[in-house]
């Protein structure tokens, strides 16, 4: 073999190995351009895990830290069908413990298309412990926070409810959603081949804030029980009440009957039961508005409490509209006009004032306004403007018709009057409020009104509201409920708004009973007794 | 000072002979690359396996270092003369592996012999022995080898015996390397092209048969084609290797930052060390590393060519063989890591953890230095002038 061939063969080798190496180059560059990201994602998904750190929604407590709403751990139970044994006795056991129909469970679990079925929600710990003891293969227990309302139906409309995501849907749950809301945390983990954690990113959970209401649960229960009794006794459709501490202007109780059990929403048949009627249901207040309108005339010194008003012959025609009293009261003083609730007297007093005074005066009590600071779901109602109101409508406004308002607004207006004519600032959570308050009436005027209200209870329509050893004042109201075909004589709202002063404690209680169907006259014999009963219970217990 | 230092080096390299050493007689490219790779290997092994294996690796490196100097003492002619003894030693050790209970079984293969606390793979020795034997044979039986069949088949027979024993372990990767290196040397030595093609064909078909007959090898080829579809089974290692390379991107996740080394990629410190290197240092660095290995191989080839030009045929064959051996190791190891070749357990010279191959690598580097040294010694001026033309 020649020298030349050896050289050629060497050259082949010189050529061959670098070619092999350049294959490596090409392959690596190609891989990095085309497959690298995909490959990385694969391992990233493989070793990454995410865990949710559950957070609990804020508690709601009353002024004495009694829990009104809190998150409690319950369990959602499902079956992973890949691991389920389908043993008849296991199916039977599960259906017995969780109150599911055995046949139904058997059918659902044998559906070939499914890998997982949810069989029960919101199961308590005891049942779960019992199930776990049986060591049934395939059962999956998902720990979950559920909202629990230990005090039940007396609070349900005030507190409201939450939706499936545990977000507020109604009531305090909705108005304090921002504070109560919690956000779940996360742990993002990466694990190596042995399961050891190699990277951990924690986003901490944030539990919701505690909301402490000004509500006193004891009072709330007392008021609720009295409302319940009144509704049943008078065969009424519903009743609402608001109790306020006049010194702090805090709401101590606000409740309605009928109500619903917030812990068993399946039993909630009528969705309107969810609304807090005391602050949401609109009505024409009727006579309870008279002290407000007459206080304006007193304040303007058009009249004083002793000014005599001739209500003969028991009716008056004003602007071609006839206003009647219950009966002919003859000549009445201004305090008698309120005490006997004379519509005619009110019309005569009211007609002395001009439109803008009446409208702005009533508005200054808060009627027709929305209270953005109050954090209690309510509707602002409707108060006509002075441009589009006739004189006839104006005078009927003075005795409580032609406007739409809520019991909450009435309570706020009375609180203002009873607190020396300074606009009230009702609160559902205890807090210091240093804002400069507006005066709505002269102090002398409010003293006159207060005496008139006391007179009303002592000698007028509010007699049944009397409480032993307490100074009680108040105003009854009976308003017809407007239906589509005008007012229905048989359909009334019976109201009473009153205050009590006893042992340096001062409370206001506004009561509304809607549509009592028994033969009753209205506020004086339906609502006023509730006031009396409530405070009898309260002072008896304290 | 320099004189004393030289004296010291002389003593180590040549014993107490009165010879002067000239540093020009060493190939500093190879030395630099070797030192760089050895230190980088420590870096990688310590990144992948934390402490216990690192100590072992550094110890192995030191043994390799000692081996380097020990081997360097022998003249090339010595190797030429003891070629058959080496073959017998290799055969003997490979046969020992067949004795039951004598060799530990690791990952279903019996490849290691424990000796004085060392684990040693006879297959690595077989690579060296066959390299020396074939080179030597080609010189000794030059005419016989070139002209008739018997001369050609003799080394083939020896090779086949060795490969058969290695295949019993089983170790297809080392067998393939031995086969290819042997053929390369015979090819350069001028084996008749007909014989050569014949044996290539036989070898190729045997190789195919080996794969086809053994189900798991065949399966490996299939998973190699679609690694992601078999990610949980056979493609496991390869897809994990891909993930490592993908994570490293072009510039790497940073030294010590590998995820895949954390028990996610089996054999991360040995067969798949390159994947972890790419994950931590990036593919750009990977390309540089491949280039460095290429320079090492080419340097060996250059010395081989130089030897032939100086008519030192044995040294020339050895040098080419060393270049090919290292080159194939690198090519197969990296090729497997990046999905160019089906999964094969072969180490990456210098960088993989594992004693035997490291020792072999040091011996090979020592031999190539010795060849270069002897070439320079024999005609220093000539070599230097030639080197300029290189």
């Amino acid at each position: 073999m020649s020298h030349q061939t050896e050289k050629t063969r060497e050259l082949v080798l010189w050529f061959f190995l670098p070619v092999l190496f350049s294959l490596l180059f090409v392959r690596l560059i190609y891989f990095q351009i085309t497959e690298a990201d995909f490959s990385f994602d694969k391992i990233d998904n493989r070793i990454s895990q995410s865990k949710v750190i559950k957070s609990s929604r804020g508690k709601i407590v009353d002024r004495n830290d009694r829990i009104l709403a809190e998150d409690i751990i319950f369990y959602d139970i499902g079956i992973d069908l890949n691991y389920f044994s389908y043993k008849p006795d296991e199916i039977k056991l599960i259906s017995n413990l969780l109150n599911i129909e055995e046949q139904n469970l058997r059918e659902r679990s044998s559906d070939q298309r499914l890998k997982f079925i949810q069989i029960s929600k919101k199961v308590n710990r005891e049942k779960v412990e019992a199930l776990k003891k049986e060591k049934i293969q395939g059962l999956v227990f998902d720990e979950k926070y559920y909202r629990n309302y230990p005090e039940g139906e007396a609070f349900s409309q005030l507190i409201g409810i939450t939706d499936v995501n545990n977000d507020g849907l109604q009531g305090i749950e909705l108005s304090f959603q921002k504070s109560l809301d919690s956000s779940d945390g996360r742990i993002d983990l990466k694990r190596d081949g042995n399961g050891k954690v190699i990277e951990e990113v924690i986003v901490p959970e944030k539990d919701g804030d505690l909301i402490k209401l000004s509500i006193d649960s004891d009072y709330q229960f007392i008021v609720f029980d009295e409302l319940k009794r009144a509704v049943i006794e008078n065969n009424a459709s519903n009743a609402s009440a608001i109790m306020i501490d006049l010194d702090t202007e805090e709401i101590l109780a606000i409740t309605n009957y009928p109500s619903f059990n917030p812990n068993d929403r399946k039993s909630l048949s009528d969705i309107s039961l969810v609304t807090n009627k005391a602050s949401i249901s609109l009505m024409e207040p009727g006579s309870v508005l008279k002290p407000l309108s007459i206080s304006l005339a007193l304040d303007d010194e058009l009249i004083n409490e002793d000014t005599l008003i001739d209500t003969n012959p028991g009716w008056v025609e004003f602007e071609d509209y006839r206003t009647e009293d219950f009966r002919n009261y003859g000549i009445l003083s201004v305090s008698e006009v309120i005490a006997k609730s004379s519509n005619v007297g009110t019309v005569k007093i009211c007609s002395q004032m001009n439109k803008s005074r009446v409208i702005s005066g009533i508005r200054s009590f808060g009627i027709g306004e929305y209270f953005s600071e109050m954090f209690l779901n309510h509707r602002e109602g409707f108060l006509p403007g002075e441009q589009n109101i006739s004189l006839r409508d104006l005078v009927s406004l003075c005795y409580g018709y032609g406007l739409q308002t809520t019991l909450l607004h009435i309570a706020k207006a009375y609180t203002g009057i009873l607190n020396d004519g300074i606009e009230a600032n009702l609160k559902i959570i205890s807090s210091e409020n240093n804002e400069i308050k507006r005066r709505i009436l002269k102090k002398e005027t409010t003293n006159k009104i207060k005496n008139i209200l006391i007179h009303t209870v002592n000698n007028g329509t509010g007699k049944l509201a009397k409480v032993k050893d307490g100074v009680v004042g108040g105003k009854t109201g009976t308003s017809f409920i407007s239906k589509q075909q005008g007012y229905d004589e048989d359909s009334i709202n019976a109201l009473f708004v009153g205050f009590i002063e006893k042992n340096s404690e001062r409370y206001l209680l506004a009561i509304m009973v809607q549509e009592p169907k028994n033969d009753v006259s209205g506020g004086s014999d339906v609502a006023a007794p509730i006031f009396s009963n409530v405070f009898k219970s309260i002072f008896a217990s304290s | 000072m320099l004189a004393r230092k030289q004296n010291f080096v002389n003593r180590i390299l040549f014993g107490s002979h009165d010879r002067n050493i000239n540093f020009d007689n060493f190939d500093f490219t190879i030395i630099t690359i070797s030192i760089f790779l050895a230190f980088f290997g420590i870096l990688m092994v310590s990144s992948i396996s934390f402490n216990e294996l690192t100590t072992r690796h550094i110890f192995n490196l030191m043994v390799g270092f000692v081996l380097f100097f020990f081997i360097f003492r022998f003249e090339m002619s010595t190797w030429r003369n003891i070629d058959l003894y080496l073959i017998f030693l290799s055969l003997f050790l490979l046969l020992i592996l067949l004795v039951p209970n004598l060799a530990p079984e690791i990952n279903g293969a019996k490849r290691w012999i424990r000796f004085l606390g060392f684990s040693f793979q006879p297959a690595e020795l077989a690579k060296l022995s066959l390299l020396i034997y074939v080179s030597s044979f080609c010189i000794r039986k030059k005419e016989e080898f070139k002209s008739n069949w018997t001369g050609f088949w003799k080394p083939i027979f020896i090779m086949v015996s060795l490969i058969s024993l290695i295949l019993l372990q089983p170790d297809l990767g080392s067998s393939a390397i031995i086969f290819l290196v042997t053929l390369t040397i015979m090819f350069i030595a001028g084996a008749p092209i007909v014989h050569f093609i014949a044996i290539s064909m036989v070898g190729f078909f045997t190789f195919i048969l080996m794969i086809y007959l053994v189900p798991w090898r065949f399966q490996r080829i299939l998973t190699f084609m679609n690694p992601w579809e078999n990610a949980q089974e056979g493609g496991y290692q390869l897809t994990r290797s891909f993930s490592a390379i993908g994570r490293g991107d072009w510039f790497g996740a940073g030294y010590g930052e590998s995820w895949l080394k954390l028990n996610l990629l089996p054999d991360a410190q040995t067969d798949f060390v390159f994947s972890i290197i790419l994950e931590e240092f990036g593919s750009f660095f990977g390309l540089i590393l491949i280039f460095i290995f290429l320079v090492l191989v080419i340097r060996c080839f250059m010395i081989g060519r130089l030897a032939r030009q100086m008519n030192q045929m044995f040294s020339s064959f050895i040098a080419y063989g060393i270049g090919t051996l290292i080159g194939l190791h690198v090519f197969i190891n990296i090729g497997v890591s990046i999905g160019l070749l089906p999964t094969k357990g072969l180490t990456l010279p210098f960088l993989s953890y594992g004693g035997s191959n490291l020792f072999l690598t040091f011996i090979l580097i020592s031999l190539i230095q010795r060849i270069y040294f002897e070439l320079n010694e024999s005609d220093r001026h000539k070599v230097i002038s030639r080197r300029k033309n290189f």
Side-chain angles (χ1 to χ4, degrees), chain A residues 510-527:
Chain A
I511 300 152
M512 170 174 72
V513 180
Q514 291 194 304
E515 299 181 284
K517 288 179 192 72
N518 290 354
D519 189 19
V520 288
S521 58
S524 56
D525 57 354
V526 174

Side-chain angles (χ1 to χ4, degrees), chain B residues 249-269:
Chain B
D249 209 349
W250 286 107
F251 296 102
Y255 175 64
E257 296 295 320
S258 166
W259 288 347
L260 276 300
K261 71 184 181 189
L262 303 166
N263 280 305
L264 290 166
L265 174 59
D267 300 331
Q269 75 278 30

Side-chain angles (χ1 to χ4, degrees), chain B residues 2-3 5-7 9-10 13-14 19-28 31 72 369 372-381 384 387:
Chain B
L2 186 69
K5 200 165 140 196
Q6 284 194 354
N7 211 7
V9 177
N10 283 344
L13 291 177
F14 308 112
R19 286 175 70 171
N20 275 323
I21 179 172
N22 191 321
F23 282 107
D24 279 351
N25 296 347
F26 290 93
D27 187 297
F28 276 94
I31 288 191
F72 193 84
Q369 289 296 349
Y372 192 67
F373 176 82
E374 283 187 7
L375 294 177
N376 283 324
E377 284 289 296
S378 65
D379 195 348
R380 200 175 146 218
H381 299 287
I384 287 168
R387 200 162 62 178

Side-chain angles (χ1 to χ4, degrees), chain B residues 36 66 96 139 148 213 241 306 322 328 342 375:
Chain B
F36 168 75
V66 172
I96 279 187
I139 307 296
N148 64 40
L213 284 183
S241 169
L306 199 60
I322 289 171
L328 283 175
L375 294 177

